[in-house]
Amino acid sequence: MIKESLRAQRIETPSWAYGNSGTRFKVFAQRGVPRDPYEKIADAAQVHAFTGVAPTVALHIPWDKVDDYADLASHAAGLGVGIGAINSNVFQDDDYKLGSVTHPDPKVRAKALAHLLECVDIMDATGSDTLKLWFSDGTNYPGQDDIRARQDRLAEALAAVYQRLGDDQRFLLEYKLFEPAFYMTDLPDWGTAYAHCVKLGPKAQVVVDTGHHAPGTNIEFIVAFLLREGKLGGFDFNSRFYADDDLMVGAADPFQLFRIMYEVIGGGGFTERTAFMLDQCHNIEPKIAGQIRSVMNVQEATAKALLVDREALAAAQRAGDVLGANAVLMDAYNTDVRPLLAELREESGLAPDPMAAYAKSGYFEKIAADRVGGAQAGWGA
Ligand code: PSV
Ligand code: MN
């Protein structure tokens, strides 16, 4: 039963994780980095080949702009993967200095909306059913713009995108406490995102990026609440020590990841309707291996969450046995699930240790030698 669930797990990797990334101080180039979306997808296919649970890759537009999206989708299919969520980008154009869909100038708002609608066209062309919307919109100074008017503008744009969605398409609305706006963000938290989604209807859901909260926020509570309301669309998984660090998921706080997966499973969210996506940047570590490690971290947290003896837990809860209930959860968390996952992989014809198998495959040496010349994909390209 546990193995069956683990076999059915799907984790989506982001195209941008394979490109160069960094901070505002420095982007460090790495050898073998893809020059175009086709090469990014080839790298994503490696993550799937060695883990068996990462069959889709998310695109970010315009970073992954191509002339023929149907061709990109068939390139992906040829490598054994598919196109996942389409991520919009209304944060990297000079016009968006004061916002995109909440900008005071209607011309800028129209431009941003046109981009969002173009992303739905790309969903049509690639067969993707999920649009992910994140807005960097906000203000830096009190009084800079009218908070309520900006909410009206946001609602108007979201409604227009919602109308454009096909029957089998949905959008996931992403919130983030701060950055790049430092005083007020137009979608700062799950409550704001939730309120907009509730108004729109079932095709609008909230996505929880695990790096987008104030320190100390109980993310699993948000997960439990959203699931209960049918509004949890998925995750952007990553780790943070300080703010939106975009480190490998499970690196900073594997216990938090376990607690999140425990709520997902208990709340009936462990289905293909919940998008388990990674949103990470490997600034200093190798990228494909970094993705493989992250996928394994999600698998391990999931396996532990599946191991929780829910009957024993419910009995302890009913009896008001505080320590007993906590022990049930901790027993599962403290179980070493690596042998179970290794066994599962071998049963599926995979190597038991994806990190070692990838390292041995020679793929990195090959791309490092082949991908010479051209412009490496990176932050902003
Ligand atoms: C914003 O910080 C974010 O989490 C959004 O998902 C963006 O699309 C992504 O990062 C870009 O890396
Ligand atoms: Mn994100």
Side-chain angles (χ1 to χ4, degrees):
M1 181 56 196
I2 290 179
K3 275 191 179 167
E4 224 168 88
S5 300
L6 288 169
R7 241 190 302 276
Q9 182 160 34
R10 296 285 169 261
I11 300 160
E12 182 162 309
T13 74
S15 68
W16 54 100
Y18 303 101
N20 286 323
S21 62
T23 64
R24 59 190 162 135
F25 299 102
K26 171 74 180 162
V27 171
F28 295 103
Q30 293 190 18
R31 289 192 309 141
V33 158
R35 280 83 49 90
D36 58 40
Y38 286 81
E39 291 182 347
K40 291 183 198 174
I41 288 174
D43 290 359
Q46 289 294 303
V47 177
H48 183 48
F50 288 99
T51 63
V53 293
T56 54
V57 52
L59 301 185
H60 215 297
I61 310 297
W63 297 342
D64 296 319
K65 217 173 169 68
V66 291
D67 292 335
D68 185 343
Y69 288 98
D71 183 62
L72 189 66
S74 66
H75 165 75
L79 294 168
V81 291
I83 305 291
I86 304 298
N87 287 250
S88 60
N89 184 327
V90 282
F91 51 86
Q92 280 190 312
D93 199 290
D94 282 338
D95 281 338
Y96 300 139
K97 186 167 79 174
L98 302 180
S100 63
V101 293
T102 65
H103 197 286
D105 181 346
K107 281 202 297 296
V108 177
R109 299 206 292 275
K111 169 177 166 167
L113 178 59
H115 170 76
L116 303 182
L117 298 177
E118 183 200 344
C119 286
V120 186
D121 294 340
I122 294 170
M123 292 167 73
D124 292 340
T126 54
S128 165
D129 61 3
T130 302
L131 173 65
K132 180 137 61 71
L133 301 172
W134 174 69
F135 302 101
S136 59
D137 296 41
T139 59
N140 269 6
Y141 294 98
Q144 180 189 319
D145 198 4
D146 186 87
I147 293 175
R148 280 172 300 150
R150 292 176 75 92
Q151 284 298 311
D152 292 342
R153 298 171 201 150
L154 173 63
E156 196 180 308
L158 292 177
V161 179
Y162 192 90
Q163 290 310 317
R164 167 67 183 82
L165 292 174
D167 289 343
D168 299 325
Q169 295 174 335
R170 62 173 172 167
F171 73 59
L172 307 185
L173 191 55
E174 181 171 353
Y175 59 89
K176 177 172 172 174
L177 179 59
F178 81 101
E179 198 208 15
F182 290 137
Y183 163 61
M184 185 280 302
T185 297
D186 293 305
L187 267 170
D189 54 28
W190 71 269
T192 311
Y194 172 76
H196 281 283
C197 289
V198 165
K199 268 217 177 102
L200 290 165
K203 290 191 269 180
Q205 291 183 304
V206 181
V207 56
V208 175
D209 183 311
T210 48
H212 287 186
H213 307 84
T217 299
N218 184 331
I219 298 176
E220 59 269 28
F221 172 83
I222 299 169
V223 169
F225 185 92
L226 290 174
L227 264 175
R228 189 168 174 275
E229 301 296 330
K231 282 294 181 196
L232 182 74
F235 292 93
D236 265 5
F237 278 134
N238 52 65
S239 275
R240 52 80 62 80
F241 286 97
Y242 299 102
D244 188 24
D245 305 345
D246 282 339
L247 299 177
M248 292 187 294
V249 61
D253 191 347
F255 184 40
Q256 178 189 62
L257 186 57
F258 160 79
R259 299 192 309 263
I260 290 172
M261 290 312 299
Y262 166 72
E263 291 302 335
V264 167
I265 292 162
F270 196 54
T271 74
E272 78 256 9
R273 286 302 289 164
T274 309
F276 296 95
M277 301 171 287
L278 305 180
D279 178 7
Q280 305 178 163
C281 294
H282 303 294
N283 298 352
I284 58 169
E285 68 275 27
K287 293 156 197 310
I288 299 172
Q291 287 290 285
I292 292 175
R293 168 59 71 205
S294 308
V295 167
M296 292 172 69
N297 287 350
V298 176
Q299 281 187 298
E300 285 172 25
T302 307
K304 291 176 183 209
L306 286 164
L307 277 175
V308 172
D309 183 342
R310 296 213 175 231
E311 270 176 39
L313 183 61
Q317 288 172 347
R318 274 195 305 275
D321 180 359
V322 175
L323 293 178
N326 179 242
V328 172
L329 219 66
M330 296 313 293
D331 277 349
Y333 178 65
N334 287 319
T335 307
D336 185 358
V337 294
R338 290 173 299 181
L340 171 75
L341 286 163
E343 197 179 294
L344 186 85
R345 291 184 191 112
E346 282 184 313
E347 284 168 13
S348 311
L350 297 171
D353 179 353
M355 292 293 285
Y358 168 71
K360 233 177 77 194
S361 73
Y363 183 82
F364 175 72
E365 290 70 19
K366 184 173 174 344
I367 55 174
D370 288 355
R371 294 178 183 168
V372 176
Q376 291 190 320
W379 231 86

